[in-house]
Amino acid sequence: MIQTTEQKYGTDRATAGTGSFTEIKVHGISGAAPGTGTITEETLPMDDGPKEACGVFGIYDFDGKDVASTIYYGLFALQHRGQESCGIAVSETEGEYGKVSSHKGMGLVNEVFQADELEKLKGNIGVGHVRYSTAGSSTRENAQPLVINYIKGTLCLAHNGNLINANDLRRELAYGGAIFQTTIDSEVIAYHIARERVVSKTVEEAVRRACRKIKGSYSLVVTSPRKLIGARDPYGFRPLCIGKRDNAYILASETCALDTIGAEFVRDVEPGEVVTISPKGIHSDKTMCIPKEEHARCIFEYIYFARPDSVFDGVSIYGARIRAGRFLAMDSPVEADVVVGVPESGNPAAMGYAMESGIPYGTAFIKNGYVGRTFIKPKQSNRESSVRIKLNVLKNAVKGKRVIMIDDSIVRGTTSARIVGMLREAGATEVHVRISAPPFLYPCYFGTDIPSRDQLIAADKTVEEIRQALGADTLAYLRFDRLSEMAEGLEICHGCFSGNYPMDPPEEDIRGEYQR
C-alpha cells in the first residue's frame, strides 16, 4: 500500500499558523510566470530523452580561504545536471559577519562566470547550483542559489528535486502574507526554513522542521553565516555526498565533483538525514530516516543523469550501465557486426552489450560538445536538424554493416527515429535498437522531465508499433525485473515504468508555473 510522506515520517503535516508573516526578501529576483503552448516540431527539445536534474555544491573552508573558485570547478563537474542557468553565493564567517556576495545568470558555468565575477565573491562558506527546469520558466529570476534575508539573518539555498505539495505550501504561505518573487518550488522551501527559524533554536532544526512539511524529492544545501547544512529526502530520490579537502568540508550532488577539486569522499548523506557542518564538527540528525526497504532512489540517476565516473549510494554509475548492456545482450540477442552507443550514457551500455555478446564495440557517432541548452533550434523551414547539429555519423564505421544501436530511453520517439534514419543514410544494412531502460508508461513527479502520458510513445503503442515508427529492424527494451540488479539490489523508484510511486502522486497539476 502506498503511504503518504506524512505517514512515513510519523508526523502530521504542519499547518499554517495565524498572524503576520516574517518579512523575507530574496536578493535580485522578481517573479516571471512562463508562457504556455503546444509542442511543435520547432519547440521540441533537441534531446528526446529525459532531462537532467539540477546539481548542488556547498563548501565550508575553516582555514578562511576563498571558496568561490572551488565552487566554480565543482559546478563545472556537475554541468551535465543542468545547463540552463547557474549561480554561486558566498559569505565570510569573520569580518563583515554574514555579508553575502552572489552572482548568477543564464547559460553554462564558464559563460556566466568570468575571472572578474569570481574575484568579487569573497568568503569561506558558500553554495552553488546548476539548473535544468523540469517545469516552470527558464529565466534568470529562477536561477539559484536563493539568498534569503529575514529577521534572523541570511540564508543561501540550493535545491535539486521536485516537490509534489508545493502548490499547497505556497497557498499556505500566501495566506500568511508571503510575497513570492520566483516561480520555483525551491522558494517555498526557503520561506518555510526562514519561517521555522523564528521558532527554532538552531538553523538545522529549522531545516528539519521545514523538511517535515515538504513532500517529494529534494537534496538541499543551505548556508547560514557559520553553518553548512545538507538535507536529503527520506526516500533518497536524489544523490548528495560529503567530501573533505584539507580543512574544508564539501557537500555535492555527485562524487565526480569531489574528484574534480581534489577532495576525498567521506560518505553519502543518508536518505532522510540532515547533516550540519560547523566549526564544532559534523552533526547528523536522522530523525526523519525511514526503513531502507522504503527508500526509492531515482533509477534514472543510474541510467542517464549521473556522470559515469560518479558513485551513487555505493553503486558505480559506469558499472550499472555496463550491467544494463549485458542484460540486453542476454535477454535480447541479435546477430550483428558492430555495437554502438548513442552518446553519452548509451556508450557504457553498448560496451556491456559488446562484452556479453562478443560482437565488436564501435564508435558511430561524433557529438558536438559545444551545443548547450541555449542553442538556437532550427526553424521548420530550415534543412538543419537539431539532432544532426548535435550528432554526426561516422560513415566508415557503419557502412555495409548490421548495427546494434544502444540508447538510454525513448520518450516521444522523434529523436530515435532520426538517429536510425541517419545510420541508414550512412550505409547501415540493418539497425537493431536496444534501450537500456524499460518503456516509459507514466509521468514522473519527482524531478525527471518525463511528460504526460499523451506524449509518451509507449503509452499507446506496442513495441512492434514503436519499432515501425523508428524504422528499426528490431527493437527491445531492458526488462523491468533487471532494474534492481542494475542498481545492485538498492531500493529504487520505478514509477515512470510501473505507475507504482513511493508516495501518492499529486491530485492537481504540479508541472505548471510554480515548479522548478
Side-chain angles (χ1 to χ4, degrees):
M1 181 183 70
I2 296 178
Q3 293 178 299
T4 63
T5 307
E6 294 89 356
Q7 290 171 327
K8 288 190 173 183
Y9 288 176
T11 59
D12 294 328
R13 195 176 88 190
T15 56
T18 57
S20 61
F21 191 88
T22 303
E23 182 181 7
I24 300 175
K25 294 182 180 179
V26 184
H27 281 189
I29 50 181
S30 59
T36 59
T38 58
I39 294 178
T40 65
E41 181 74 16
E42 184 175 344
T43 60
L44 276 172
M46 189 164 47
D47 289 321
D48 192 32
K51 302 305 182 291
E52 291 89 340
C54 297
V56 297
F57 187 96
I59 182 171
Y60 193 163
D61 191 338
F62 299 123
D63 286 339
K65 298 178 181 178
D66 179 26
V67 299
S69 60
T70 300
I71 298 174
Y72 170 87
Y73 289 114
L75 295 183
F76 199 82
L78 298 173
Q79 186 73 85
H80 60 285
R81 298 187 68 87
Q83 301 172 32
E84 291 185 356
S85 64
C86 58
I88 295 174
V90 302
S91 63
E92 180 61 68
T93 58
E94 304 297 338
E96 294 187 73
Y97 180 72
K99 180 182 178 182
V100 174
S101 302
S102 65
H103 180 74
K104 57 186 178 180
M106 302 300 295
L108 305 177
V109 175
N110 64 344
E111 295 171 339
V112 172
F113 291 97
Q114 304 299 321
D116 56 339
E117 276 101 12
L118 288 174
E119 282 293 324
K120 298 174 185 176
L121 301 177
K122 300 297 183 182
N124 65 335
I125 185 171
V127 61
H129 188 268
V130 290
R131 180 174 188 256
Y132 175 81
S133 58
T134 52
S137 55
S138 176
T139 62
R140 185 185 181 280
E141 288 79 8
N142 287 339
Q144 295 187 46
L146 297 179
V147 180
I148 307 293
N149 290 324
Y150 70 116
I151 195 170
K152 288 278 190 174
T154 304
L155 293 174
C156 304
L157 177 142
H159 167 218
N160 168 209
N162 217 56
L163 305 187
I164 64 172
N165 67 335
N167 291 349
D168 291 338
L169 294 177
R170 180 176 285 264
R171 284 189 289 265
E172 174 187 315
L173 291 167
Y175 287 143
I179 300 175
F180 293 94
Q181 301 178 60
T182 76
T183 61
I184 55 177
D185 54 359
S186 308
E187 188 180 9
V188 172
I189 302 173
Y191 271 40
H192 271 286
I193 294 173
R195 183 175 184 175
E196 294 296 339
R197 181 66 184 94
V198 176
V199 295
S200 301
K201 293 182 180 179
T202 63
V203 65
E204 57 265 37
E205 179 186 348
V207 170
R208 187 184 71 249
R209 289 167 65 106
C211 287
R212 288 188 177 276
K213 296 181 179 182
I214 60 181
K215 293 175 60 178
S217 65
Y218 58 86
S219 285
L220 302 175
V221 175
V222 181
T223 64
S224 69
R226 287 183 177 170
K227 290 178 180 177
L228 174 66
I229 301 169
R232 194 172 167 198
D233 72 76
Y235 296 94
F237 283 104
R238 299 293 160 208
L240 190 64
C241 63
I242 305 171
K244 187 176 188 299
R245 186 184 71 181
D246 299 327
N247 203 26
Y249 279 93
I250 299 101
L251 294 170
S253 288
E254 293 187 34
T255 59
C256 66
L258 303 180
D259 297 335
T260 297
I261 65 167
E264 172 191 358
F265 171 77
V266 176
R267 66 177 179 87
D268 291 289
V269 176
E270 295 184 19
E273 184 181 14
V274 176
V275 174
T276 304
I277 299 169
S278 73
K280 297 180 180 179
I282 299 180
H283 177 264
S284 171
D285 186 315
K286 299 183 180 181
T287 57
M288 292 194 304
C289 293
I290 60 178
K292 70 174 186 177
E293 294 78 15
E294 299 175 9
H295 292 170
R297 297 164 184 84
C298 176
I299 188 60
F300 250 82
E301 292 286 351
Y302 299 99
I303 296 172
Y304 178 85
F305 289 149
R307 232 170 71 166
D309 52 334
S310 286
V311 177
F312 177 19
D313 281 349
V315 176
S316 162
I317 301 300
Y318 179 78
R321 292 172 187 170
I322 289 285
R323 283 191 293 278
R326 285 187 176 275
F327 295 151
L328 283 170
M330 295 176 192
D331 302 333
S332 305
V334 64
E335 292 185 3
D337 302 306
V338 65
V339 184
V340 303
V342 178
E344 297 288 340
S345 55
N347 289 337
M351 291 181 65
Y353 194 106
M355 291 160 58
E356 185 67 30
S357 67
I359 300 172
Y361 171 80
T363 299
F365 300 101
I366 300 300
K367 182 178 180 181
N368 185 339
Y370 300 96
V371 182
R373 294 294 176 193
T374 55
F375 170 71
I376 300 172
K377 300 176 181 63
K379 297 180 180 179
Q380 284 178 286
S381 58
N382 291 359
R383 284 180 171 268
E384 294 87 351
S385 159
S386 294
V387 178
R388 289 184 181 274
I389 291 170
K390 189 170 185 180
L391 290 177
N392 196 28
V393 177
L394 282 169
K395 295 180 175 63
N396 290 345
V398 301
K399 186 175 181 180
K401 295 181 180 180
R402 299 168 296 174
V403 177
I404 299 173
M405 183 191 94
I406 311 290
D407 204 354
D408 55 70
S409 61
I410 300 175
V411 181
R412 299 175 181 89
T414 309
T415 300
S416 298
R418 288 175 178 167
I419 296 175
V420 170
M422 289 166 62
L423 288 171
R424 291 202 183 280
E425 291 174 16
T429 58
E430 297 177 11
V431 180
H432 303 275
V433 177
R434 297 293 181 268
I435 304 300
S436 59
F440 283 128
L441 299 175
Y442 301 92
C444 175
Y445 303 99
F446 307 109
T448 304
D449 190 22
I450 299 174
S452 58
R453 294 201 73 196
D454 59 0
Q455 296 181 43
L456 298 174
I457 190 171
D460 61 359
K461 285 183 170 58
T462 65
V463 173
E464 173 58 21
E465 289 172 335
I466 298 172
R467 181 199 67 78
Q468 294 176 13
L470 300 186
D473 291 280
T474 65
L475 169 65
Y477 291 84
L478 184 72
R479 277 177 19 200
F480 177 80
D481 61 354
R482 291 294 199 180
L483 291 175
S484 180
E485 292 180 83
M486 178 185 179
E488 295 188 358
L490 288 178
E491 297 75 16
I492 57 173
C493 175
H494 46 67
C496 54
F497 307 128
S498 66
N500 295 320
Y501 302 99
M503 65 181 78
D504 291 326
E507 296 181 358
E508 62 178 321
D509 181 15
I510 67 166
R511 300 170 67 83
E513 62 179 9
Y514 299 136
Q515 296 299 302
R516 185 188 56 68

